[in-house]
Amino acid sequence: MTRLDRCKRFRASRVLGLALLVSALAVQGEPQALERSSSLRDFASWREATSGPYKVPQELWTMCMPPTIVGHPGRRVASDADMDLSIRVYANPKAYPLLRSPSGPKYPAGSIVAKAKLVEGSHRPVAVAFMIKHEAGYDPEALDWEFLYFNGNPLHQVSVEDGVTCRGCHATMKEGDGVFGNYLPERQGGGSAGVK
């Protein structure tokens, strides 16, 4: 076999390998972007439960799932201790009246609560955590909530290890059907220090 033949064969194998890689990536796909999630992308148009940005301490802001390092003007990372951190909580029409209720009733299937995480100097969220209520039996250990987390700019879905991180806190809030709400006047004085 001549050197030219070996070179052609090598190129052909590289092209085939590259084609297989591209094909595998296309099947696997990139992380779901929030803009492509039709039921969630308009969360900011839902009624807001907070009255604008609600400042929270760093340890509460990083709950649900700590965001990865995010660059901000004049700051190194989103976890800087001296940075103002806040949340805005939105609820779809099924969830909003119950979220504002002082008694914390059981949410019907189809209820969605969104917690947008904001950092000082940015009006756009750096992350959004969603709770989606499903029919009874969906996940009894999580009180039938599904947890999704989107991070970055643009916002892309991040794995939450099957909701284990979220489930650990939210499943303990049986009185509020898994939804924290200490940022609401209706819920203040409750025993939990959670923010969603």
Side-chain angles (χ1 to χ4, degrees):
M1 178 180 301
T2 69
R3 184 173 187 206
L4 181 60
D5 289 335
R6 275 183 272 155
C7 192
K8 285 180 183 177
R9 198 176 264 195
F10 177 73
R11 271 191 241 164
S13 67
R14 283 182 49 191
V15 168
L16 179 60
L18 185 57
L20 290 172
L21 178 62
V22 168
S23 162
L25 290 174
V27 170
Q28 182 182 12
E30 64 179 63
Q32 172 75 20
L34 184 55
E35 294 80 31
R36 291 196 306 267
S37 179
S38 60
S39 62
L40 304 177
R41 69 174 168 229
D42 297 325
F43 75 90
S45 68
W46 302 341
R47 290 188 66 185
E48 185 177 354
T50 47
S51 300
Y54 181 84
K55 288 186 182 180
V56 294
Q58 177 187 6
E59 56 273 9
L60 292 181
W61 189 85
T62 57
M63 287 181 159
C64 292
M65 180 172 172
T68 55
I69 293 175
V70 179
H72 300 287
R75 303 288 185 174
R76 291 187 318 277
V77 296
S79 61
D80 282 354
D82 61 342
M83 186 182 299
D84 281 338
L85 304 172
S86 58
I87 60 166
R88 294 182 86 162
V89 178
Y90 302 88
N92 74 350
K94 280 191 170 188
Y96 186 82
L98 302 173
L99 183 62
R100 296 308 301 245
S101 166
S103 61
K106 196 159 179 71
Y107 288 78
S111 297
I112 305 175
V113 178
K115 178 172 65 175
K117 297 182 178 189
L118 302 152
V119 296
E120 179 182 351
S122 176
H123 299 292
R124 297 182 65 178
V126 296
V128 184
F130 290 95
M131 293 178 63
I132 304 167
K133 187 72 168 190
H134 290 276
E135 296 290 340
Y138 171 80
D139 185 350
E141 288 182 31
L143 306 177
D144 298 316
W145 288 101
E146 176 184 10
F147 302 97
L148 299 177
Y149 191 87
F150 292 80
N151 188 11
N153 184 15
L155 293 163
H156 280 83
Q157 190 171 351
V158 178
S159 170
V160 288
E161 300 169 21
D162 299 323
V164 171
T165 306
C166 308
R167 184 185 299 126
C169 285
H170 288 277
T172 65
M173 266 303 286
K174 296 199 187 325
E175 182 181 310
D177 195 24
V179 179
F180 292 90
N182 292 19
Y183 48 85
L184 299 169
E186 298 91 339
R187 302 274 182 96
Q188 289 179 2
S192 178
V195 294
K196 181 174 161 206

